[in-house]
């Protein structure tokens, strides 16, 4: 047990040091303040959401349902965020072979690695489950059962999503471990897995949304919790556990224990058959060739390959390209959305705006430029010693982002053109807007990375996700959105001409792009040259 | 004999290929002088050994020469080009083999070598000849289609050395090149370094393997605590001809500590 404790401690310490390191702020006090601010920024909307949900259920005289709802929601988020993290810590971290050489049982290594994922998911539980319990307790009174079972519910909430996702990920990777394309399959397979989990959730909700079931649920108090909890039955048990039901406590702790045991007894098998086999040497890839290419093309290929060959980076890039498509498929599948909605007369004047909004999605969601230097990690030295100019070195990193994002834009543009009743003029204006937005954001994100390079990361998730640069890039989009919203509120009548608005915005973004580009290639070259691991 | 004579003349009168002038590096995070006002001149055709205890400043110096690290004070001239003022011309004159083979390793060995060849504009014929020559000498030819991820430390090192030799650089800079190499490959690399100098190239390398430095180098410099404490031909550094380089090294670095 001592070994396991040490292993868990070292993994968690490593995680915290990585998170601190990824903030990349030398002033420790400032880093702490920033961490608290970030935590607050993430927690505040979640707490508010719990509060609003509590009030809605309080009106139905069932305020405890806030706990059920928040646990169900947090579980979906945990599945969604947990799977990529599990893949990263299991299959693409650098320490798995090192750990396998230590005198410690394989199952303990698996659970030790999972401890870091648990910490991530516990943060999600702290944002959703904990506030719901606290709000319920404050408003409905602190009973002994809440004081005792509330903290247990908060601490156990991440376990089921964590254990189920881990089991599925390990099982899937066991099946594909010998494939030539195992890296791509890992990424695509797990993307499909996330989609399937969400579709099942949506499907169940849709099934439960039968008018008869809803009427019964409102008439019968007990049915309402079942109606909400049907998407994830342990949520019913967790809620009733917090309320003091011993039977449901046994159910909830029992199901958690059952999954712990399942993973514990299969961990040794998966460790050998999935984990170690996966990190073994790869097969040969084609023939030896001698082919001359343009230098720019080689640099571009190198940056693209860094993303394509690293599943965590690829998953990140792909998700940002096709998120609207996934949302559309899921919502259509679950019957929550229909294209007929867009054909209504009320929506018709906004179609051009909606189309433009959809095709700029890759530029808004994707922030891969903000990690264009960071992604290279310790290998960054390589392009620095090459006989190429710093401008060229930077240019092709930005070009990589543009090509990826514009591919997403074109893909969404074509699908949007087929599905939405848009005119050629709308497509053209949307395209101009998308190009200018992509250019501006790609350059500004890259500037962030020039100011804040982080090359000493230990696993790829730290490079592209748990990264202050990503947060800053998203903050820029938020500020931009708020400014545009402010202008919209103040401008009044002329804002109703959406084509004009989009053209004006395109000109502004292009102007900002050229200004930023000038600063980057003239004033920030020295800063770029000083970057070293 | 004639060749040696020509080479000696090149060394004596040859152009300065690498010149470090008052070179200083202070790390911002700890204000420590990692390299303290060092001066070195390496002539064309020389094999120059750069020695020093761990943490003496060898790698920092090499990283500054290669343009990876920013220079705090001083100048570095490579083949007559200032690394800060004319980085591309300077970088076209040398290739680097770092101490840790940290490269983007998801690609295959052959993809890596083609990438390097394109960066230094090596023709298809030359790259084919060189890749075959060096990878066969290092016994990694049959592994070239494998992902670099699957390579051992030594294989990565051999791949990096092959990449560094492809453009026939004026100066070959190697940081601890023998670490991780098997005896046959180490012998091959030593021969390649000699051959490179015989063809008019220059080699600047750091090493802990004193026996190699003693047998291979025309001149050596010893750095300790960021300062050059000795720089000359080995025979001139030895007060007694029977003294080994190991004894000299220990004596010099020990005296410095006192």
């Amino acid at each position: 047990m001592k070994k396991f404790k040490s292993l868990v401690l070292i993994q968690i310490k490593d995680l915290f040091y990585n998170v601190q390191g990824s903030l990349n702020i030398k002033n420790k006090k400032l880093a702490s303040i920033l961490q608290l601010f970030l935590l607050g920024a993430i927690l505040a909307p979640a707490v508010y959401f719990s509060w609003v949900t509590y009030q809605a259920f309080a009106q139905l005289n069932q305020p405890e349902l806030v706990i059920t709802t928040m646990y169900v929601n947090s579980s979906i988020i945990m599945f969604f965020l947990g799977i990529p993290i599990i893949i990263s810590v299991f299959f693409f971290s650098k320490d798995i072979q090192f750990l396998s050489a230590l005198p410690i049982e394989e199952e303990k290594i698996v659970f030790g690695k999972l401890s870091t994922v648990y910490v991530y998911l516990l943060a999600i539980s702290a944002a959703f489950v904990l506030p719901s319990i606290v709000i319920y307790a404050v408003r409905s009174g602190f009973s002994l059962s809440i004081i005792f079972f509330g903290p247990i519910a908060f601490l156990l909430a991440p376990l089921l999503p964590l254990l189920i996702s881990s089991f599925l990920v390990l099982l899937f990777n066991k099946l594909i471990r010998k494939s030539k394309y195992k890296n791509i399959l890992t990424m695509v397979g797990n993307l499909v897995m996330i989609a399937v989990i969400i579709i099942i959730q949506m499907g169940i909700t849709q099934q439960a949304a039968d008018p008869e079931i809803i009427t019964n649920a409102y008439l019968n108090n007990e049915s309402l919790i079942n109606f909400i909890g049907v998407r994830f039955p342990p949520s019913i048990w967790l809620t009733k556990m917090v309320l003091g039901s011993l039977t449901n406590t046994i159910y909830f702790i029992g199901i958690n224990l059952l999954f712990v045991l399942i993973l514990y007894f299969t961990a040794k098998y998966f460790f050998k058959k999935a984990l170690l086999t996966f990190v073994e040497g790869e097969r040969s890839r084609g023939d030896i060739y001698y082919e001359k290419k343009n230098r720019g093309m080689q640099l571009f290929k190198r940056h693209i390959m860094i993303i394509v060959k690293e599943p965590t980076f690829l998953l990140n890039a792909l998700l940002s390209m096709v998120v609207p498509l996934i949302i559309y498929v899921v919502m259509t599948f679950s019957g929550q959305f229909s294209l007929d909605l867009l054909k209504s007369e009320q929506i018709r004047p906004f179609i051009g705006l909606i189309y433009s909004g959809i095709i700029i999605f890759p530029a808004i969601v994707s922030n891969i430029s903000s990690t264009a230097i960071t992604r290279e990690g310790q290998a960054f030295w390589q392009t620095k010693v090459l006989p190429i100019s710093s401008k060229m070195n930077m240019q092709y990193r930005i070009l990589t982002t543009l090509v990826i994002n514009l591919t997403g834009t074109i893909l969404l543009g074509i699908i949007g053109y087929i599905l939405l009743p848009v005119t050629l003029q709308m497509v053209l204006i949307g395209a101009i807007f998308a190009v200018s937005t992509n250019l501006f954001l790609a350059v500004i994100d890259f500037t962030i990375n020039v100011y804040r390079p982080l090359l000493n990361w230990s696993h790829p998730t730290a490079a592209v996700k748990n990264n202050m640069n990503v947060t800053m890039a998203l903050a820029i989009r938020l500020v931009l959105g708020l400014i545009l919203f402010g202008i919209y509120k103040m401008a009044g009548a002329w804002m109703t001409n959406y084509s004009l608005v989009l053209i004006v915005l395109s000109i502004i973004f292009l102007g900002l792009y050229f200004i930023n580009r000038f600063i980057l290639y003239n004033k920030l070259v020295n800063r770029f040259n000083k970057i070293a691991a | 004999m004639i060749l040696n004579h020509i080479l000696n003349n090149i060394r004596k009168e040859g152009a300065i290929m690498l010149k470090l002038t008052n070179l200083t590096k202070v790390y911002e995070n700890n204000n420590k002088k990692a390299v303290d006002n060092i001066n070195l001149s390496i002539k064309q055709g020389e094999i120059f050994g750069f020695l020093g205890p761990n943490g003496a400043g060898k790698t920092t110096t090499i990283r500054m020469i290669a343009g990876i690290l920013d220079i705090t004070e001083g100048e570095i001239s490579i083949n007559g080009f200032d690394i800060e003022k004319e980085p591309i011309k300077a970088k076209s004159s040398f290739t680097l083999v770092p101490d840790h083979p940290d490269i983007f390793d998801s690609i295959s060995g052959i993809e890596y070598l083609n990438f390097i060849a394109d960066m230094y504009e090596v023709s298809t014929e030359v790259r084919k000849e060189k890749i075959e020559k060096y990878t066969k000498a290092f016994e990694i030819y049959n592994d070239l289609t494998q992902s670099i991820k699957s390579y051992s430390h030594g294989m990565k090192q051999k791949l990096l050395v092959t990449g560094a030799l492809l453009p026939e650089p004026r100066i070959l800079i190697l940081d601890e090149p023998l670490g991780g190499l098997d005896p046959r490959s180490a012998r091959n690399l030593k021969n390649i370094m000699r051959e490179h100098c015989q063809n008019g190239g220059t080699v600047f390398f750091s090493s802990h393997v004193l026996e190699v430095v003693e047998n291979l180098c025309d001149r050596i410099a010893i750095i300790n605590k960021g300062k050059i404490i000795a720089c000359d031909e080995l025979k001139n550094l030895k007060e007694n001809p029977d003294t080994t380089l190991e004894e000299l090294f220990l004596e010099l670095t020990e005296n410095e500590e006192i």
Side-chain angles (χ1 to χ4, degrees):
Chain A
M1 201 61 194
K2 259 188 176 177
K3 285 181 184 177
F4 179 65
K5 204 175 139 191
S6 297
L7 180 64
V8 169
L9 271 177
I10 198 84
Q11 295 279 328
I12 292 174
K13 271 185 188 172
D14 183 52
L15 169 75
F16 278 108
Y17 292 151
N18 277 329
V19 170
Q20 268 185 348
S22 69
L23 285 173
N24 204 13
I25 294 170
K26 283 169 193 164
N27 186 328
K28 283 187 178 173
K29 271 187 185 174
L30 183 65
S32 304
I33 292 168
L34 203 67
Q35 271 175 309
L36 282 174
F37 176 76
L38 275 174
L39 198 67
I42 295 164
L43 279 178
V47 172
Y48 179 72
F49 185 42
S50 288
W51 170 242
V52 173
T53 312
Y54 171 84
Q55 283 180 318
F57 285 119
Q59 284 177 349
L60 296 172
N61 284 327
Q62 292 201 55
E64 69 278 8
L65 292 184
V66 65
I67 300 170
T68 320
T69 311
M70 287 302 151
Y71 180 50
V72 171
N73 289 341
S74 69
S75 296
I76 294 171
I77 296 170
M78 284 177 201
F79 273 120
F80 193 78
L81 296 178
I83 286 177
I85 301 173
I86 291 167
I87 293 168
S88 178
V89 300
F90 272 157
F91 299 99
F92 301 104
S93 65
K94 291 174 183 168
D95 61 353
I96 200 79
Q97 285 183 326
F98 161 73
L99 291 174
S100 67
L102 297 177
I104 183 167
E105 291 87 347
E106 288 94 337
E107 41 279 52
K108 286 179 182 164
I109 296 177
V110 170
F111 277 85
K113 298 283 296 173
L114 283 182
S115 62
T116 54
V117 189
Y118 173 78
V119 173
Y120 276 112
L121 301 190
L122 194 66
I124 297 171
S125 178
F128 291 93
V129 180
L130 186 61
S132 69
I133 296 171
V134 172
I135 289 170
Y136 176 76
V138 169
R139 302 293 296 177
S140 308
F142 282 92
S143 63
L144 255 178
S145 67
I146 293 178
I147 293 169
F148 186 71
F149 289 114
I152 292 176
F154 158 62
L155 293 171
L156 289 186
L159 265 192
L160 274 179
L162 171 70
L163 295 167
I164 295 169
S165 315
S166 304
F167 187 79
L168 292 174
V169 166
L170 286 168
L171 186 67
F172 179 72
N173 282 60
K174 195 255 161 201
L175 297 175
I176 58 141
R177 73 195 194 280
K178 285 182 179 168
S179 166
K180 192 175 171 184
Y181 306 103
K182 62 188 177 187
N183 281 3
I184 301 286
L185 281 174
T186 301
M187 190 278 306
V188 175
N190 288 294
L191 197 65
V192 171
M193 201 187 294
I194 293 169
V196 168
I197 289 168
I198 295 171
I199 286 170
I200 291 170
Q201 288 287 323
M202 295 281 194
I204 294 168
T205 315
Q206 188 62 20
Q207 215 175 11
D210 185 305
E212 204 175 320
I213 297 173
I214 295 173
T215 315
N216 281 338
Y218 280 96
L219 290 175
N220 183 337
N221 280 352
E222 196 58 22
S223 292
L224 195 55
I225 190 169
N226 291 335
F227 169 66
I228 294 165
V230 70
R231 292 163 69 189
F232 194 46
S235 63
I236 302 169
W237 305 331
L238 177 133
T239 311
K240 289 185 177 174
M241 176 181 84
V242 174
L243 297 179
S245 159
L246 198 64
T247 317
N248 285 287
T249 303
I250 293 167
Y251 284 159
F252 185 70
I253 294 179
I255 188 94
N256 276 288
L257 199 63
L258 178 70
F259 275 94
V260 168
L261 289 174
I262 289 173
L263 193 63
Y264 186 81
F265 286 115
T266 51
K268 193 170 187 164
Y269 173 77
F270 281 134
F271 187 82
K272 285 191 173 142
K273 299 287 178 186
L275 276 169
L276 286 184
T277 320
F278 193 89
V279 293
E280 273 175 12
E282 290 178 23
R283 288 181 188 183
S284 172
R285 298 176 185 174
D287 300 323
I288 293 174
Y289 67 95
Y290 305 98
E291 184 185 80
K292 201 169 179 185
K293 274 190 182 143
N294 169 289
R295 292 207 292 182
M297 196 60 213
Q298 274 286 19
L299 282 174
F300 173 70
K301 187 183 159 195
R302 174 187 154 84
H303 297 313
I304 285 283
M305 293 300 255
I306 287 176
I307 294 173
V308 172
K309 297 279 182 180
E310 176 54 68
T312 310
F313 297 167
L314 186 59
L315 187 71
N316 199 43
L318 274 186
L319 274 178
S320 59
M321 271 165 69
V322 294
V323 162
L325 210 60
I326 295 173
I327 295 171
Y328 166 72
V329 171
V330 167
M331 290 180 81
T332 308
F333 190 83
S334 64
Q336 292 188 337
F337 175 79
S338 160
L339 281 174
D340 291 338
L341 276 174
L342 297 174
K343 287 172 186 160
S344 69
E345 282 307 310
Q346 291 96 326
I347 298 287
R348 192 164 282 273
F350 303 100
I351 282 294
L353 199 64
I354 292 170
Y355 181 76
S356 299
I358 290 170
I359 65 172
I360 63 157
F361 211 86
I364 303 292
V365 175
S366 160
N367 39 57
I368 48 179
S369 244
S370 67
T371 56
I373 298 166
T374 299
R375 277 196 302 269
E376 275 199 66
Q378 296 289 330
F380 181 68
W381 68 270
Q382 210 186 351
T383 54
K384 277 193 89 180
V385 299
L386 294 175
I388 53 167
S389 69
S390 306
K391 186 183 170 185
M392 189 181 186
N393 200 340
M394 291 195 270
Q395 259 175 344
Y396 282 92
R397 289 165 197 275
I398 296 170
L399 183 70
T400 309
T401 306
L402 285 173
V403 169
I404 291 173
N405 287 356
L406 286 173
T407 306
T409 291
I410 292 168
L411 184 73
L412 293 172
I414 294 169
I415 295 168
Y417 184 72
I418 296 166
L419 297 178
L420 302 175
V422 285
T423 62
L424 212 59
Q425 189 198 349
M426 287 174 188
V427 174
L428 200 67
I429 291 170
I432 294 167
F433 182 56
V435 169
S436 59
T437 313
N438 267 301
L439 282 171
F440 167 60
L441 290 174
V443 175
I444 203 151
D445 285 352
F446 185 74
T447 308
I448 295 173
N449 208 193
V450 171
Y451 271 97
R452 305 174 47 79
L454 170 76
L455 303 173
N456 299 312
W457 44 268
S458 56
H459 56 88
T461 314
V464 292
K465 279 202 173 76
N466 319 314
N467 192 307
M468 193 61 194
N469 292 5
V470 173
T471 314
M472 286 177 81
L474 293 175
I476 285 172
R477 286 147 174 81
L478 187 72
V479 171
L480 215 61
L482 287 173
I483 292 171
L484 291 178
F485 184 71
I487 294 170
Y488 166 75
K489 279 285 176 193
M490 287 186 294
W494 72 272
M495 287 293 288
T496 51
N497 184 347
Y498 293 112
S499 301
L500 181 68
V501 172
L502 290 175
I503 289 167
V504 170
L505 282 177
S506 302
I507 294 166
I508 292 171
F509 284 156
L510 270 180
L512 289 171
Y513 158 70
F514 281 114
I515 293 168
N516 196 181
R517 190 176 185 272
F518 176 80
I519 294 169
L520 187 66
Y521 294 152
N522 292 284
K523 311 282 177 197
L524 297 179
V525 173
N526 278 341
R527 207 173 180 102
F528 177 77
N529 290 338
K530 284 183 181 177
I531 296 170
Chain B
M1 279 296 281
I2 297 168
L3 187 68
N4 277 343
H5 177 74
I6 295 168
L7 282 172
N8 281 336
N9 276 345
I10 288 175
R11 280 173 203 141
K12 277 174 191 165
E13 296 162 21
I16 302 282
M17 289 305 294
L18 175 64
K19 190 174 184 189
L20 315 183
T21 312
N22 303 326
L23 189 66
T24 300
K25 176 69 191 177
V26 180
Y27 281 111
E28 282 174 18
N29 53 357
N30 57 9
N31 267 339
K32 189 189 157 198
K33 265 191 183 174
V35 172
D36 191 0
N37 198 33
I38 68 173
N39 291 284
L40 281 177
S41 288
I42 291 113
K43 287 177 188 167
Q44 185 182 356
E46 265 193 318
I47 300 187
F48 192 93
F50 197 44
L51 306 179
N54 293 331
K58 298 188 298 294
T59 299
T60 302
T61 306
I62 288 178
R63 284 159 72 88
M64 279 193 286
I65 294 170
I68 299 172
L69 267 186
D70 200 31
I71 299 167
T72 308
E73 270 175 46
E75 284 174 7
I76 296 171
S77 164
I78 301 165
N79 193 23
F81 303 112
D82 189 300
I83 187 72
E84 288 194 307
K85 289 173 189 155
E86 293 176 287
I88 296 170
K89 286 178 181 166
K91 285 174 185 178
S92 299
S93 307
F94 75 87
T95 53
L96 170 76
V97 179
D99 56 343
H100 289 290
D102 290 319
I103 49 174
F104 166 48
D105 58 7
S106 292
I107 54 173
S108 67
I110 191 69
E111 281 175 318
Y112 170 78
L113 293 176
N114 272 300
F115 171 76
I116 293 293
D118 281 331
M119 287 297 125
Y120 290 91
E121 297 174 356
V122 180
S123 71
T124 316
E125 297 74 34
V126 173
R127 80 176 67 176
K128 183 177 186 302
E129 181 210 319
K130 301 259 174 208
I131 289 172
E132 285 182 4
K133 178 183 170 185
Y134 294 122
T135 55
K136 280 178 182 169
F138 287 130
E139 296 170 338
I140 54 165
Y141 181 76
N142 292 330
D143 302 299
L144 283 182
T145 54
Q146 304 278 340
S147 156
I148 302 172
K149 239 176 212 167
S150 66
Y151 285 21
S152 67
H153 179 88
M155 286 166 78
K156 281 185 189 172
Q157 195 76 0
K158 290 173 189 177
L159 186 74
L160 280 169
V161 173
T162 304
L165 290 164
L166 285 184
E168 297 175 335
R170 305 294 296 270
I171 313 175
L172 182 60
I173 301 170
L174 307 103
D175 192 4
E176 302 287 353
L178 301 168
L181 293 188
D182 54 73
R184 187 192 301 275
S185 302
R187 165 68 71 88
N188 280 336
L189 180 58
K190 283 184 271 181
N191 290 340
I192 287 165
M193 284 156 81
R194 270 199 204 99
E195 189 187 304
H196 185 70
C197 290
Q198 279 163 4
N199 292 334
T202 306
V203 174
F204 179 90
F205 80 104
S206 76
S207 180
H208 278 125
V209 189
L210 298 180
E211 176 261 328
V212 173
V213 176
E214 192 163 15
N215 293 327
L216 202 65
C217 295
D218 299 308
R219 280 199 305 147
I220 61 163
I222 300 175
I223 184 171
N224 194 22
K225 295 177 184 170
K227 289 184 175 171
I228 299 287
I229 53 170
C231 178
D232 208 333
E233 287 180 30
L234 189 57
K235 63 175 185 214
N236 296 339
L237 289 174
K238 291 178 184 174
E239 284 172 11
N240 176 350
D242 294 331
T243 311
T244 64
L245 177 59
E246 186 184 19
E247 285 163 344
L248 180 74
F249 178 83
L250 292 174
E251 185 194 323
L252 285 169
T253 50
E254 192 178 28
N255 284 346
E256 276 297 305
E257 278 170 14
I258 294 163

